Amino acid sequence: MNKKKQLIIAGPCSISSKKELNETIKNIYSEIDFFRCGIWKARTNANHFKGIGNKGLKWLSEIEEKYRTPVAIEVGTPKHVEQALYHDLKVFWIGARTTVNPFYVQEICESIKGTDVEIWVKNPIHPDINLWIGAIERLKNTGIKKIKAIHRGFFCMKERKYRNSPKWNLIKVIKETFPELNLICDPSHISGDKKLIYSISKKAISLNFDGLMIETHANPENALSDAKQQINCNEFKELMRKI
Ligand code: PEP
Ligand code: MN
């Protein structure tokens, strides 16, 4: 197996309380490079939990300071960016449902112009590699220097095993187009099932990915989004030992 040191991003899909957030970060901060936490969730079902919203931003800037670990959140609109910047957050990701639309991506670009934020771009929902490349190009054209690409799998009607099919061959195109970018694998959204996280992580490492984004929650059974695919803090530590 490839022995390159992986960049590790971990944290909950979303949180429903400050207690959940604190319980998660205090158990994993020493083993990660970035903490992730969704604050606004782009839910398919209109009546499902939409994230804790603005009040969570303050909690995140507090833990960033306390644990000296950079915190990343998903942004989907210029308003999200504005509120996150107001709370001094500086690492954002663009989710699969946002990468699909060049208008959204361009609006986000306008809202971060002139800042030194770091942005990660997840692949779009469907396997249109040029849409993914286009989103990254827009950020580069905006003058953003710190960009990463995240493979979270693609929606596929025929897929049985995974929630979102990984397309390992397409990944080579991203590597060739942007050799300078870190390429991260998100086994949580690929699998949709915590039992598959280890095998997908191993595969990504063997394919020379630069890092992993692993959804980790202090109490996944009670999580209000993506409960089935999140691992708890002990499982996360075990995974880190194994890879
Ligand atoms: C997430 O990271 O929690 C998320 C919603 O991701 P994606 O955009 O890959 O579905
Ligand atoms: Mn999620």
Side-chain angles (χ1 to χ4, degrees):
M1 186 177 292
N2 184 345
K3 288 274 184 282
K4 174 169 78 179
K5 161 107 179 66
Q6 294 285 303
L7 262 166
I8 302 296
I9 303 161
C13 179
S14 66
I15 39 114
S16 56
S17 68
K18 193 174 183 177
K19 183 162 174 274
E20 253 177 27
L21 175 65
N22 287 334
E23 281 299 306
T24 311
I25 183 130
K26 84 171 184 214
N27 283 300
I28 64 170
Y29 79 95
S30 61
E31 310 204 28
I32 63 181
D33 297 291
F34 294 88
F35 184 76
R36 61 146 286 154
C37 181
I39 286 292
W40 302 284
K41 303 303 295 178
R43 301 311 293 271
T44 303
N45 185 314
N47 300 317
H48 285 173
F49 178 63
K50 294 185 185 62
I52 196 81
N54 284 4
K55 71 176 173 191
L57 296 173
K58 185 163 174 285
W59 304 342
L60 290 179
S61 60
E62 283 166 9
I63 62 161
E64 185 166 61
E65 177 122 350
K66 179 169 175 190
Y67 293 97
R68 305 205 170 281
T69 303
V71 170
I73 63 168
E74 176 176 349
V75 292
T77 69
K79 189 104 192 129
H80 292 161
V81 171
E82 186 190 315
Q83 283 156 349
L85 289 175
Y86 177 78
H87 286 88
D88 271 338
L89 297 174
K90 295 177 196 70
V91 188
F92 307 142
W93 80 83
I94 296 178
R97 289 167 185 75
T98 305
T99 311
V100 291
N101 189 325
F103 286 138
Y104 301 159
V105 175
Q106 191 59 39
E107 283 189 6
I108 291 172
C109 287
E110 304 301 331
S111 71
I112 54 175
K113 210 178 206 144
T115 69
D116 70 340
V117 297
E118 171 160 349
I119 298 257
W120 309 335
V121 187
K122 288 200 169 197
N123 65 254
I125 297 270
H126 54 291
D128 181 346
I129 197 85
N130 288 327
L131 208 44
W132 194 6
I133 290 174
I136 295 169
E137 290 288 6
R138 280 172 201 277
L139 288 160
K140 288 172 76 110
N141 293 346
T142 304
I144 298 300
K145 298 277 183 283
K146 292 172 275 183
I147 304 173
K148 301 189 198 316
I150 303 184
H151 187 33
R152 49 77 81 202
F154 297 99
F155 177 80
C156 172
M157 296 283 270
K158 288 202 211 106
E159 178 62 67
R160 293 279 172 270
K161 183 169 178 191
Y162 299 121
R163 179 180 180 194
N164 293 293
S165 306
K167 292 271 179 276
W168 305 119
N169 281 337
L170 285 183
I171 291 308
K172 290 191 197 123
V173 180
I174 290 287
K175 269 272 179 209
E176 282 158 17
T177 313
F178 304 111
E180 74 288 3
L181 292 196
N182 281 153
L183 184 60
I184 308 293
C185 180
D186 174 349
S188 309
H189 290 88
I190 289 176
S191 69
D193 177 351
K194 70 175 194 168
K195 291 197 225 61
L196 300 170
I197 303 281
Y198 172 63
S199 60
I200 299 170
S201 302
K202 250 178 55 177
K203 174 83 179 170
I205 293 169
S206 75
L207 291 174
N208 209 21
F209 272 74
D210 301 296
L212 299 169
M213 179 190 255
I214 310 282
E215 280 194 336
T216 307
H217 190 287
N219 198 350
E221 302 76 42
N222 294 337
L224 297 182
S225 60
D226 288 348
K228 264 181 61 194
Q229 70 192 35
Q230 295 191 77
I231 54 178
N232 67 32
C233 300
N234 286 335
E235 288 164 337
F236 172 75
K237 287 180 195 163
E238 176 66 19
L239 176 71
M240 291 299 107
R241 266 193 298 278
K242 276 165 60 185
I243 60 173

